[in-house]
Amino acid sequence: QVQLVESGGGLVQAGGSLRLSCAASGRIFRVNSMGWYRQAPGKQRELVASSPSGGTPNYAGSVKGRFTISRDNAKNAVYLQMNSLKFEDTAVYYCNVNLDGVYNYWGQGTQVTVSS
């Protein structure tokens, strides 16, 4: 079993910054990718940023240039630095870990609220 614990969400004014953190523990093996998704009220969950192991991070077009994903493989952790936040970034953000290209695990979610 794998557990993901997220932190760093909160309330911020438009134009501000937040940094999300996610630490994975448990039976971690053959990490295929780590990433962040988000879900706004009434909308489907969407990919924000993904960091494939040994590959180049990819970003949703709406956050490219503003958000940066990074990993600490020694700690099985993934981070999301969010700058120039906009009202439309308001959502619950979920950490995701994919193991072996097969097993997906999710964090409990952390609320990010951007006031306009």
Side-chain angles (χ1 to χ4, degrees):
Q1 191 64 292
V2 174
Q3 297 81 39
L4 303 179
V5 178
E6 300 149 344
S7 61
L11 173 64
V12 64
Q13 286 188 330
S17 299
L18 282 175
R19 185 174 187 253
L20 305 183
S21 300
C22 173
S25 61
R27 295 190 62 191
I28 310 293
F29 63 97
R30 292 191 292 276
V31 175
N32 184 57
S33 66
M34 302 183 78
W36 292 91
Y37 289 69
R38 68 186 181 188
Q39 187 166 18
K43 294 188 177 181
Q44 290 189 333
R45 190 173 297 190
E46 63 175 0
L47 173 70
V48 176
S50 177
S51 177
S53 296
T56 303
N58 61 88
Y59 298 89
S62 59
V63 308
K64 200 170 292 185
R66 300 187 296 122
F67 291 10
T68 303
I69 189 171
S70 61
R71 286 170 57 172
D72 184 335
N73 292 328
K75 296 181 180 180
N76 290 319
V78 61
Y79 309 95
L80 186 69
Q81 178 66 43
M82 305 185 293
N83 298 328
S84 302
L85 281 161
K86 303 177 180 179
F87 175 76
E88 50 265 40
D89 294 319
T90 296
V92 178
Y93 283 70
Y94 296 91
C95 174
N96 170 270
V97 172
N98 179 275
L99 303 182
D100 213 17
V102 177
Y103 306 100
N104 268 311
Y105 295 93
W106 297 91
Q108 79 283 2
T110 184
Q111 177 70 46
V112 172
T113 303
V114 184
S115 62
S116 58

